[in-house]
Amino acid sequence: NAGVTQTPKFRVLKTGQSMTLLCAQDMNHEYMYWYRQDPGMGLRLIHYSVGEGTTAKGEVPDGYNVSRLKKQNFLLGLESAAPSQTSVYFCASSYPAGGLDEQFFGPGTRLTVL
Amino acid sequence: RKEVEQDPGPFNVPEGATVAFNCTYSNSASQSFFWYRQDCRKEPKLLMSVYSSGNEDGRFTAQLNRASQYISLLIRDSKLSDSATYLCVVGGLTGGGNKLTFGTGTQLKVEL
């Protein structure tokens, strides 16, 4: 099993450009999450999904959109990138234990917005 | 007040030492508790879950005090390979549903 994978691993964008980050998991998990991690801030939840076709806002959703068209994939979109979105983005997935169970993380995407 | 608070460190300890990390959380309705480990520029990985009765996994011991809303992690006989950032994680009802809340982490450096 590959677990949770993320594409791309690194990306540099100019302000105003758009991009999509792809997360895939092969563990048949119902729940998937997108986090950003910044120095001194810890992991902050952007959006999450409790199942195929459903999404919900997390702690810091502004400037991001998500889609969960297939159970195994969770996409994070930046429509118009801003320097404040420079961060490391982690995707995670978990069993459907009401959102309280262990989360498995992907290797991260390092995004720089100039 | 942060939902999950940790001393950021760094804790610099010699190999073989015993080191303890503490964490406090603000949501009294929290239901699940974990310690994650994060190596530099890598993803967080579960180190151990924390149970009310306390639990041990080899050199690692975790304790939970619900009354004080306090979690601890004890590492005995530290190894160089234990150098990492340790994240305290608490699960509970926040905002629109159950979620995990991550502390900012405590950095451990084990030295020769």
Side-chain angles (χ1 to χ4, degrees):
Chain A
N1 288 349
V4 181
T5 58
Q6 292 183 231
T7 309
K9 289 187 168 51
F10 303 93
R11 185 72 185 268
V12 178
L13 291 178
K14 294 182 180 179
T15 296
Q17 287 185 317
S18 63
M19 77 164 295
T20 300
L21 283 67
L22 172 63
C23 175
Q25 52 94 5
D26 62 2
M27 296 176 283
N28 202 33
H29 286 170
E30 289 292 338
Y31 286 36
M32 296 187 74
Y33 312 83
W34 275 107
Y35 293 91
R36 60 178 289 173
Q37 187 174 39
D38 303 291
M41 301 290 289
L43 284 159
R44 291 184 293 169
L45 183 64
I46 304 171
H47 285 282
Y48 65 101
S49 168
V50 299
E52 182 179 317
T54 71
T55 63
K57 294 181 180 179
E59 181 186 354
V60 287
D62 293 343
Y64 305 95
N65 57 74
V66 287
S67 65
R68 183 98 182 266
L69 298 180
K70 292 182 178 180
K71 184 177 182 178
Q72 63 267 35
N73 295 337
F74 195 27
L75 278 64
L76 178 71
L78 285 72
E79 289 187 348
S80 179
S84 61
Q85 294 177 304
T86 293
S87 188
V88 181
Y89 291 86
F90 288 104
C91 175
S93 69
S94 70
Y95 295 109
L100 298 175
D101 210 347
E102 173 191 359
Q103 292 180 11
F104 296 81
F105 284 82
T109 294
R110 282 161 181 77
L111 175 65
T112 301
V113 183
L114 303 175
Chain B
R1 181 185 173 188
K2 288 182 181 178
E3 291 185 54
V4 178
E5 292 206 58
Q6 297 181 249
D7 182 340
F11 284 58
N12 297 316
V13 303
E15 202 174 16
T18 295
V19 61
F21 303 140
N22 303 318
C23 166
T24 58
Y25 59 95
S26 61
N27 183 358
S28 60
S30 296
Q31 300 175 56
S32 60
F33 309 89
F34 309 92
W35 284 101
Y36 273 70
R37 170 191 169 128
Q38 187 172 24
D39 293 293
C40 186
R41 301 179 70 80
K42 296 290 183 86
E43 72 272 26
K45 291 184 179 178
L46 180 70
L47 176 67
M48 59 196 301
S49 300
V50 187
Y51 303 113
S52 297
S53 55
N55 48 299
E56 188 174 306
D57 183 1
R59 298 181 292 109
F60 300 84
T61 300
Q63 297 279 354
L64 168 64
N65 184 323
R66 285 185 181 268
S68 302
Q69 296 178 206
Y70 170 96
I71 307 164
S72 66
L73 177 68
L74 183 76
I75 305 176
R76 292 182 299 277
D77 188 22
S78 300
K79 312 291 185 190
L80 293 175
S81 57
D82 293 333
S83 298
T85 297
Y86 291 83
L87 308 178
C88 176
V89 183
V90 175
L93 183 61
T94 58
N98 289 327
K99 298 187 186 61
L100 297 188
T101 301
F102 290 77
T104 53
T106 298
Q107 188 179 10
L108 172 65
K109 295 181 180 179
V110 182
E111 302 163 332
L112 287 171

